[in-house]
Each structure stands twice: as structure tokens, then as C-alpha cells.
Amino acid sequence: MWKIYKRAIGDLPIWRIAARERGFSKSDSLFHSTNGGCLLPGKGVWAFKTFRFSMGTLEAPVITNSERNGWTVTLNWENGIDCPKASASDQVFVGYFYDTLRRSPCLLRDIPARRGDESVTIEIPSGDQPEGTPLHLYLFFGDSELARFSPSEYTQV
């Protein structure tokens, strides 16, 4: 799963930064110690709610609502900008899995929304999946330098 996940996030240093912050020598070790219990060998994620797409020291999002219309998803959250580890300018990221592809994490990263917007509407690529395939979504934030990230928050639509 680590190799596939790394392809999905590209050059985002989410787990490398989190590992350094927590004293782990390797990012894959932290990823597996955090998510190992959520994975079944050869099958992928079975416990989507407890899987962590992202870890970090920024303030975590609190999803207040999620809606879906076809492949269009709207997420609303509390912005948390009154907290010392949050900024209205934090970038929005959404990781996701199709319920039918539990070993294939995906990431939307060029989202033109910020933490302070408190809402985003995104198009999830259909991925040749049947209409109505459940989506497992993970909202998280990154600072403007991509030097800090928040833990991900899960929702299913």
C-alpha cells in the first residue's frame, strides 16, 4: 500500500514531515504503524473511518456536512482559524478511495479553496466506476509552504 499511496500523493512530504516530528526514522514506518490495522493484505483498506490519509501538526478539519450529486461533492467544515495551528490561507486537499478500489488511494491537490472558505465543491473523476459507487473522502490542510499538514478527517458519500 505504501508504494501506491506514495504515487497518489506525489511530492507532498506529508509522512516524511510527520515522521520527523514524531521521532520516526522512516516515513513508511509511521504510515504502517498508523494505518496497518486498517489494511488487509491483498485487499486494501477495510476500516476507512480509522485510516489516516494525512498526519501532521496543523489543526485538523472538522467536517460539518458532506453532499454528493453524481461525482460532484461538496464538503463543509469549521475553519478553525481561531486556533494557533491554523491559517485561513491553508491549502485544501482531498484524498479518496472508491469503495470498489480499496487498494487505490487518489488525491485531489490543486483545489482552489482555502481553510478560511469553510466549503469546497469538487469533481471526483468517475474512474470508470459505476454511478453511485460509494466514495471514502479524507479532507486535510497544508500550509502555504507545504511544510506542515493537518491530520485528515474522514467522511463517506
Side-chain angles (χ1 to χ4, degrees), residues 101-115:
L101 297 172
R102 295 168 174 252
R103 295 180 354 172
S104 299
C106 302
L107 177 68
L108 294 177
R109 64 179 289 167
D110 295 320
I111 299 172
R114 298 294 178 254
R115 183 191 291 258

Side-chain angles (χ1 to χ4, degrees), residues 77-97:
W77 60 85
E78 294 177 6
N79 69 29
I81 59 174
D82 294 331
C83 301
K85 294 182 180 177
S87 170
S89 64
D90 288 341
Q91 299 178 51
V92 174
F93 296 92
V94 179
Y96 64 95
F97 287 87

Side-chain angles (χ1 to χ4, degrees), residues 16-153:
R16 187 173 64 240
I17 292 169
R20 186 174 51 239
E21 291 169 346
R22 287 168 179 74
F24 278 74
S25 60
K26 297 174 79 183
S27 52
D28 61 334
S29 297
L30 177 59
F31 179 87
H32 285 295
S33 70
T34 302
N35 289 320
C38 305
L39 305 171
L40 290 176
K43 295 187 180 186
V45 179
W46 72 273
F48 287 104
K49 189 173 183 175
T50 54
F51 182 85
R52 290 288 176 203
F53 210 94
S54 173
M55 294 283 293
T57 58
L58 290 181
E59 200 67 39
V62 176
I63 296 173
T64 58
N65 190 44
S66 56
E67 295 178 10
R68 178 177 178 180
N69 183 5
W71 296 104
T72 302
V73 175
T74 300
L75 298 173
N76 302 95
W77 60 85
E78 294 177 6
N79 69 29
I81 59 174
D82 294 331
C83 301
K85 294 182 180 177
S87 170
S89 64
D90 288 341
Q91 299 178 51
V92 174
F93 296 92
V94 179
Y96 64 95
F97 287 87
Y98 302 99
D99 193 63
T100 52
L101 297 172
R102 295 168 174 252
R103 295 180 354 172
S104 299
C106 302
L107 177 68
L108 294 177
R109 64 179 289 167
D110 295 320
I111 299 172
R114 298 294 178 254
R115 183 191 291 258
D117 296 334
E118 298 181 354
S119 178
V120 67
T121 298
I122 52 176
E123 288 291 324
I124 303 291
S126 68
D128 295 325
Q129 300 303 300
E131 185 67 34
T133 298
L135 293 169
H136 303 277
L137 305 175
Y138 300 87
L139 173 67
F140 64 97
F141 302 116
D143 69 7
S144 58
E145 294 84 35
L146 299 179
R148 293 173 62 206
F149 295 89
S150 74
S152 55
E153 175 73 11

